[in-house]
Amino acid sequence: MNNATLKERDLAVLWHPCSQMKDYEKYPMTPIKKGDGVYLEDFDGNRYIDAVSSWWVNIFGHANPTIAQAMKDQVDQLEHVIFSGFTHEPAIELAENLVKITPPGLDRVFYGENGSSAVEIALKMSIHYWQLMDKPEKTQFVTLENGYHGETTGALAVSDVGLYKEPYETMMFDVMTVPSPDCYYREEGESWEEYSRRQFVHMRKLIEEKHETVAAVILEPLVQCATGMRMYHPVYLTELRKLCDEYGVHLIADEIAVGFGRTGTLFACEQADITPDFMCLSKGLTAGFLPLSVMMTREEIFEAFYDDYETLKAFLHSHSYTGYATGCAVANATLKIFREQPIIENNQELAKHMAQATAHFADHPNVAEVRQTGMILAAEMVQDKKTRQGYDWKERRGMRVYEYALSRGALLRPLGNVVYFMPPYVITPEEIDKLADIAWKGIQLATKD
Ligand SMILES: *Cc1c(COP(=O)(O)O)cnc(C)c1O
């Protein structure tokens, strides 16, 4: 078996996600044979540093032996069991631990299968709660410009991703979208905090006017990942928590990408010292091993649904793999690593090293900004640094970085013209230096004409 034969077999039968399949004529896919820590290895023996954590899911390296063992032990004992009327230890242990480590007040755990389903669960639960509270008029959701919450219809409806959404507009419900606190657009000399506060005015105005019909605000705390690692200051979350309390609106924190240490704290909400009404977690939850998600909420919300069967107040949502036992066991192994090793502290060093290794990027004539929040670092390529005029999307400059990086042994997958690092936490300072070198040369190549 080699790369070429696998590519051929793949193209004959497969349809890949987030891809124009014809692109594979120009940008061939890479068949991966095995993973080892921060490395991926293809069938021709080439190795690649996985700088994007395989779409942000991997946190402790590929084929991590501790997690792999926990998974093997669980499948030998009980792979899964119906989670309605039945329960099992991995699900209970995971819920207990999540309640302990998430912001205080998130005391109930509802399992889902992937990130999108956790978002759907939060949206449905919020609307349903308001009906139970005799406020059926609260049906609308407020979202942020450039927000991303998944691809299923409800999750897509609350996302602001034009191209990905437009063909399905007839399947979507209307949402109210406010300008993002994305600090890329701050004025010269303006701090992240000042800009995030300034942008909060839009949110305040909308909630003040529309709160009677608003069920919830949904956002990604601190970093809007999918739309280009767009970052903002925690003060926006602190202010939003106050505003939602003042007007009786739910706050849904989608920590699917930013949770489990990505932003420098275990959860991004910690930096604003807030507890959302609903929190969605997935991706890092299972360290990149299995799909699993959780939606956590407050006891008061749970109690609104708790009544005699005949009152018909139950929350009837389910998936075949709700409470997936093997997934829960893998998540427990993941949390154990967080408990036993100083991951967050080590990440601070790694984050510092990422900043140092890329400090010179900001001087590049076609890099408008290098921004960082914890273990996420992004460089924005532009045509004109002064006006921040971006490149024509048709030029696909990010793909040039992608191609170059692959040829040098790194998986860097820019989001449009944003080149970013979001590596597994087992990366070493030397590997970061190598990535920085590859990214720097890739940016030079991609911007040279
Ligand atoms: C990835 C992601 C989702 C969707 O998760 P899936 O597992 O892909 O369905 C939702 N929200 C955010 C912020 C994400 O990054």
Side-chain angles (χ1 to χ4, degrees), residues 63 123 135 150 199 279 301 311 317 350 378 399:
L123 299 176
K135 292 194 167 139
Q199 287 300 87
M279 182 152 104
I301 307 246
T311 61
H317 187 105
L350 290 172
M399 288 306 277

Side-chain angles (χ1 to χ4, degrees), residues 55-57 113-119 147-152 155 159 218-221 223-226 254-258 280 282-283 291-293 422:
W55 257 347
W56 325 334
V57 296
E113 291 180 343
N114 52 41
S116 304
S117 69
V119 169
Y148 176 81
H149 302 287
E151 307 282 350
T152 55
S159 301
I218 179 166
L219 47 54
E220 296 153 273
V223 188
Q224 297 181 294
C225 296
D254 177 351
E255 293 228 14
I256 290 165
V258 296
C280 304
S282 188
K283 296 202 165 108
L292 182 78
S293 65
M422 190 158 163

Side-chain angles (χ1 to χ4, degrees), residues 151-157 165-174:
E151 307 282 350
T152 55
T153 50
L156 194 59
K165 190 169 169 181
E166 260 158 40
Y168 323 108
E169 219 42 81
T170 53
M171 298 167 70
M172 304 280 124
F173 49 81
D174 282 336

Side-chain angles (χ1 to χ4, degrees), residues 53-331:
S53 297
S54 282
W55 257 347
W56 325 334
V57 296
N58 195 294
I59 52 179
F60 296 133
H62 291 280
N64 178 294
T66 311
I67 298 172
Q69 191 58 50
M71 182 166 161
K72 289 173 206 163
D73 293 345
Q74 185 60 41
V75 288
D76 282 343
Q77 167 117 3
L78 171 72
E79 73 304 327
H80 182 52
V81 60
I82 177 174
F83 204 58
S84 191
F86 288 78
T87 192
H88 50 79
E89 219 179 334
I92 296 167
E93 186 190 324
L94 179 57
E96 286 170 348
N97 281 324
L98 287 171
V99 165
K100 265 185 223 149
I101 62 175
T102 50
L106 293 173
D107 294 332
R108 283 283 161 185
V109 175
F110 196 103
Y111 286 110
E113 291 180 343
N114 52 41
S116 304
S117 69
V119 169
E120 303 274 349
I121 290 162
L123 299 176
K124 286 171 75 175
M125 215 180 252
S126 174
I127 288 217
H128 198 158
Y129 170 87
W130 291 120
Q131 283 171 26
L132 298 174
M133 292 291 108
D134 260 336
K135 292 194 167 139
E137 66 284 359
K138 285 171 90 69
T139 58
Q140 290 189 289
F141 295 103
V142 173
T143 64
L144 286 188
E145 174 191 10
N146 289 325
Y148 176 81
H149 302 287
E151 307 282 350
T152 55
T153 50
L156 194 59
V158 293
S159 301
D160 180 34
V161 285
L163 201 61
Y164 290 76
K165 190 169 169 181
E166 260 158 40
Y168 323 108
E169 219 42 81
T170 53
M171 298 167 70
M172 304 280 124
F173 49 81
D174 282 336
V175 295
M176 296 186 281
T177 305
V178 299
S180 167
D182 174 5
C183 290
Y184 179 62
Y185 297 103
R186 71 195 186 279
E187 297 292 326
E188 217 180 307
E190 191 176 25
S191 72
W192 280 33
E193 177 169 355
E194 284 161 347
Y195 185 72
S196 297
R197 275 188 194 280
R198 181 148 73 80
Q199 287 300 87
F200 188 73
V201 170
H202 303 289
M203 179 66 85
R204 173 167 290 284
K205 186 159 174 287
L206 184 74
I207 297 294
E208 279 173 357
E209 277 171 21
K210 301 281 169 76
H211 63 92
E212 280 171 6
T213 59
V214 173
V217 177
I218 179 166
L219 47 54
E220 296 153 273
L222 301 188
V223 188
Q224 297 181 294
C225 296
T227 53
M229 302 298 164
R230 325 223 64 95
M231 301 177 185
Y232 61 91
H233 192 275
V235 72
Y236 193 89
L237 300 171
T238 315
E239 291 298 312
L240 182 59
R241 180 66 277 181
K242 281 191 267 179
L243 185 68
C244 287
D245 284 341
E246 190 179 342
Y247 286 98
V249 168
H250 288 148
L251 172 52
I252 304 174
D254 177 351
E255 293 228 14
I256 290 165
V258 296
F260 299 102
R262 290 290 182 194
T263 65
T265 42
L266 192 54
F267 300 104
C269 282
E270 290 170 31
Q271 295 182 41
D273 203 11
I274 62 155
T275 299
D277 301 289
F278 301 94
M279 182 152 104
C280 304
L281 300 172
S282 188
K283 296 202 165 108
L285 172 67
T286 43
F289 270 67
L290 285 173
L292 182 78
S293 65
V294 298
M295 200 294 303
M296 300 185 60
T297 191
R298 294 185 293 106
E299 195 65 12
E300 185 221 323
I301 307 246
F302 172 79
E303 277 165 9
F305 291 79
Y306 194 89
D307 209 336
D308 295 327
Y309 183 78
E310 298 74 32
T311 61
L312 300 179
K313 289 183 181 174
F315 185 65
L316 295 175
H317 187 105
S318 70
H319 297 284
S320 310
Y321 284 93
T322 298
Y324 183 34
T326 311
C328 291
V330 161

Side-chain angles (χ1 to χ4, degrees), residues 395-417:
E395 293 172 9
R396 305 185 75 182
R397 304 234 170 200
M399 288 306 277
R400 300 188 199 172
V401 179
Y402 173 73
E403 273 192 303
Y404 172 75
L406 279 180
S407 78
R408 291 276 319 273
L411 164 48
L412 281 171
R413 199 174 193 273
L415 294 154
N417 294 317

